Each structure stands twice: as structure tokens, then as C-alpha cells.
Amino acid sequence: MKSPIPSSTPTVINSAHEAPQVSAHFSCYNQAEIYGTSKVVKAPWQSFGLAVFAGAFIALAFVFYLTVTTGAGDAPWGLVRLVGGIAFSLGLILVVVCGGELFTSSVLSTVAWAQKHVSGAELLKCWCRVYAGNFVGAILMVCLITAAGMYELDGGHWGLNALKVAQHKLHHSWIQAFSLGILCNMLVCLGVWMTFASRDVLTKSLLLILPVAMFVSSGFEHSIANLFMVPMGMMIQSIASPEFFASLGVTQEQFADLTVTNFIFNNLIPVTLGNIVGGGVIVGLGYWWVEQGKTTSSDPHKAHHEHFSAPHSHTEKPQHASEIKLTKHS
């Protein structure tokens, strides 16, 4: 049986933030356990509310991406994508710093499930309410961005950029979309995992930029970002005037494949499953498996110290979610 965290080093999960406050002496893996448990045991109403914020944050980041990549002209393709990726990193930074529940990072709660701190049913309920909250936040932003008429920026080229990005996401094969989802959430969850190494907000923000910039610039697929981007394309395709399309030299029919059915079956399902595998299985359970191998070695305490440079007394884990102290955000 695992020993609870010693009282001399209390663990406090700030329920309003993406990352829990933990002792600097805990290893990244131990912090991932606490982080994952905090997601599942959080009050459902609070979890859903923070998920709405996270969905909106990711949508705003995609707006930033579209703005900086519109009208790039003859600029090098890779550099344009890099700038867009750096702009998009704003989304995950807002989630971590301002507080939010994002589905793609919440799948790291597989670590808490593997350690038997939470049940499988609790885990799935958490994922479902966070996904639903992210959807609500993303759709709210679709409505606001449309009402603001942003698709008409730069003579309509902003809207054309959005249409092309949304349509491109529907043209992947199922296995391609699934694979791109895996690659994307490996980077998202590795970025979040790196933030466990620091308690400094600025450092956490900087650590998130390159993983996010890489997955965006490389065209990897993020399910929650797609909950904004594809509906945004569908909205523009359905409400923009014939003059809008004519001025851009395209027709409305060119984007007729932007439909709910195509979105759900050709993109959202495979990408969501890929995100779960990439973040929850490869990163979360992958590190859990490595950790189990370390604890069965001939000198586990020495191995733990060499890898994390943390005192032995701070590496013990809680028995169950109930042993973790929850506090309301002040």
C-alpha cells in the first residue's frame, strides 16, 4: 500500500487553475499524478465552467493564427507556419496561466487512473464534461467572431483563409487524421508535463511555446481547436454573400463539403481518438510504465534520485483522491 504524502510537505490543488500547486521537491511524474487526480475530483460545475473558458481560449488562439497567416503572399511557407504556431501557443498559455480545463491535457489523468486514485467511470465522466465545455466555449467564439464580421478582414482574405484551413481538415484519410491527432497531443501533453518542472508562471509559458508551435506548424490535428475552426468555416460558407465569394475569385460551391457529417466522421472522431492515444496512452501511461519499472529495480530510491534529483521523502504518492486536499480559488 502506498503511503500518503507526508504532512510536512502538504499538497494543495488549486481547483481554479490548470496546474496544481505542489512542492518543488516532487518529481514531474508525482506532480502528473496529482494534476490528473485534480481534474477528476473537481466539482462538475466548476470543471464544466473552466472547460468553457478553455474552449474559448483555444478558439481565440486560432483567430490569432488566422490573422498572422493571412496575406502572407510569397513569404516562405515554413516561416509563415512557424509564426502561426507561435501565435497559436497563446491558447495553451491562457489555459495554464489563467485557468481552464482542456480535454487534450485532461487526458493525462490516465496517470491517476493507472495509480488507482480514480476509477474508470470517474475518468470518463471527467473527459465527457470537459469535452462538452470545450465545445460550448468554441461555439460561443464562432458566434462572436461571425457577429464581429472578422471574416471580411483584408478584403475577405481572412475568411478565405479560414475556409481553406477548415476544408483541408476534412480531406485527411481516417488513419491520417488519427495519426495527426496522436502526434498533436503528444506535444501538447509533453508541453504540459514540462511545466511541472517549474513553479514560475513565465517559465511555464515559455516552455509551452515550442511544443505548440511545432504541432501547429506541422499540421498536426487538435480536436478542440477543430471544434472552433471547422464550424467557423461552415458558418462563413453558409452566411457570406455571393459578392464576398466573387470578390475573392471563388464560389460558395467550392466549400460545399464543409458539413456537420463530414466534420464528425472525417475529422472529429479520428482526431479525438488520436488525441487520447497520444496524450493519455503514449505520454501518460508511457511515463507510468517507466515509473513502475523504476520501482522494481534493485535500488529504486537511488534511481529516482538520479533522475529527478529530489529527496526520497518527497516522492511518496497519495493513496486515493480523497487524500488530496482541495481548496477553493481565493
Side-chain angles (χ1 to χ4, degrees):
M1 179 178 291
K2 301 179 180 65
S3 301
I5 295 175
S7 58
S8 59
T9 57
T11 299
V12 178
I13 295 178
N14 190 331
S15 58
H17 285 75
E18 177 70 10
Q21 297 177 355
V22 294
S23 169
H25 297 294
F26 278 89
S27 72
C28 288
Y29 176 80
N30 297 150
Q31 296 192 49
E33 277 188 78
I34 299 167
Y35 172 90
T37 305
S38 74
K39 302 291 181 188
V40 180
V41 302
K42 192 169 293 181
W45 64 268
Q46 187 180 41
S47 179
F48 180 82
L50 290 172
V52 173
F53 272 108
F57 293 158
I58 296 301
L60 286 171
F62 225 137
V63 171
F64 198 6
Y65 170 89
L66 290 170
T67 300
V68 302
T69 58
T70 296
D74 296 328
W77 179 85
L79 289 180
V80 173
R81 300 288 289 243
L82 173 61
V83 171
I86 292 173
F88 189 86
S89 67
L90 171 67
L92 194 56
I93 291 172
L94 285 172
V95 169
V96 170
V97 176
C98 297
E101 292 291 336
L102 184 64
F103 172 76
T104 46
S105 57
S106 292
V107 298
L108 276 177
S109 51
T110 52
V111 175
W113 169 78
Q115 288 293 124
K116 301 188 185 330
H117 300 325
V118 299
S119 68
E122 291 173 322
L123 185 72
L124 292 177
K125 288 178 183 177
C126 171
W127 288 0
C128 288
R129 66 173 175 262
V130 170
Y131 200 95
N134 290 168
F135 171 75
V136 171
I139 296 303
L140 284 174
M141 291 309 301
V142 169
C143 296
L144 285 173
I145 297 302
T146 303
M150 288 195 67
Y151 64 93
E152 297 177 344
L153 291 176
D154 193 24
H157 284 91
W158 193 99
L160 181 60
N161 189 13
L163 284 165
K164 289 181 176 179
V165 171
Q167 187 178 57
H168 174 73
K169 292 180 175 297
L170 304 185
H171 291 176
H172 300 311
S173 67
W174 206 95
I175 189 63
Q176 185 180 21
F178 177 71
S179 300
L180 290 170
I182 292 175
L183 292 166
C184 168
N185 216 30
M186 285 177 62
L187 286 164
V188 170
C189 288
L190 286 171
V192 171
W193 197 281
M194 287 195 297
T195 67
F196 298 152
S198 174
R199 302 183 69 187
D200 179 70
V201 173
L202 178 59
T203 302
K204 288 175 180 287
S205 300
L206 293 174
L207 287 169
L208 292 169
I209 293 174
L210 286 182
V212 175
M214 180 185 174
F215 96 68
V216 174
S217 61
S218 300
F220 300 160
E221 292 286 337
H222 189 281
S223 58
I224 307 307
N226 292 351
L227 284 175
F228 166 78
M229 191 63 254
V230 180
M232 186 76 239
M234 289 189 287
M235 182 71 81
I236 295 171
Q237 194 273 342
S238 63
I239 71 167
S241 66
E243 292 76 20
F244 170 85
F245 292 98
S247 66
L248 296 168
V250 296
T251 64
Q252 191 174 20
E253 289 69 31
Q254 286 179 238
F255 303 98
D257 55 347
L258 285 170
T259 65
V260 174
T261 300
N262 284 342
F263 174 41
I264 293 175
F265 292 101
N266 295 342
N267 181 274
L268 195 58
I269 291 176
V271 170
T272 300
L273 293 175
N275 288 167
I276 293 172
V277 172
V281 178
I282 295 179
V283 176
L285 294 183
Y287 272 110
W288 169 80
W289 178 75
V290 170
E291 189 74 10
Q292 304 318 297
K294 284 165 49 184
T295 59
T296 57
S297 65
S298 57
D299 192 356
H301 293 290
K302 180 180 178 181
H304 186 88
H305 179 79
E306 290 175 348
H307 189 71
F308 294 107
S309 298
H312 299 159
S313 61
H314 296 305
T315 59
E316 295 176 301
K317 310 176 187 67
Q319 286 181 315
H320 191 266
S322 61
E323 296 176 353
I324 297 178
K325 179 182 177 183
L326 297 175
T327 63
K328 294 185 178 178
H329 179 48
S330 57

